[in-house]
Amino acid sequence: MNFKVFFITENEESQNWLKLKQLLDLLPEEVTSCFEPVCIIDSIEDSKLKLNPVGLINELHMCHNPSSVSRYLTHRSIYLKVVQEDIDSCMVFEDEASAGDIINFLLINPDLPE
């Protein structure tokens, strides 16, 4: 099965990603090879999309919460990667997640539905 763990981070030098990488160095290659950092996309210009919120409430939300657009673009990029690389299943974590909790969860080898 083609499985990935995507870790959304500010950049590949962020403290949370580096901490996770240090923990991954202690694990076997078959575990560490599943992890991939995804840098936050903070500009709509690179995405070939146009921002056209439907309705005043959505327009106000996006004006007052520009990070919502960034989150959407970042998660969309992961979705496109899953489709393009024909990934069977994946998990997506933001860098606020505890690196230790992620590793512990995967080490208990949970029986997840396909």
Side-chain angles (χ1 to χ4, degrees):
M1 174 168 35
N2 189 3
F3 173 74
K4 284 279 190 186
V5 178
F6 295 104
F7 190 79
I8 299 174
T9 183
E10 256 183 70
N11 58 57
E12 291 189 34
E13 299 301 317
S14 76
Q15 191 168 5
N16 290 338
W17 172 246
L18 294 175
K19 184 187 300 183
L20 179 59
K21 271 180 55 173
Q22 286 179 333
L23 285 172
L24 290 173
D25 288 342
L26 303 172
L27 299 175
E29 172 65 24
E30 61 265 12
V31 175
T32 60
S33 65
C34 295
F35 280 79
E36 184 174 323
V38 175
C39 294
I40 295 171
I41 299 172
D42 56 6
S43 172
I44 195 166
E45 284 81 29
D46 300 331
S47 68
K48 300 177 187 169
L49 295 174
K50 291 183 181 178
L51 185 60
N52 186 14
V54 176
L56 181 60
I57 191 84
N58 292 324
E59 191 168 337
L60 287 172
H61 174 75
M62 289 184 174
C63 288
H64 292 289
N65 299 294
S67 65
S68 65
V69 176
S70 174
R71 284 192 182 107
Y72 169 78
L73 292 172
T74 304
H75 284 266
R76 180 181 179 272
S77 74
I78 293 171
Y79 171 76
L80 292 174
K81 188 175 198 65
V82 167
V83 171
Q84 290 168 350
E85 295 181 14
D86 199 27
I87 295 172
D88 297 318
S89 63
C90 71
M91 293 182 167
V92 178
F93 293 97
E94 306 233 355
D95 69 354
E96 294 91 13
S98 163
D101 287 347
I102 295 169
I103 298 296
N104 285 331
F105 177 73
L106 293 173
L107 287 177
I108 63 170
N109 199 14
D111 188 21
L112 301 173
E114 290 201 22

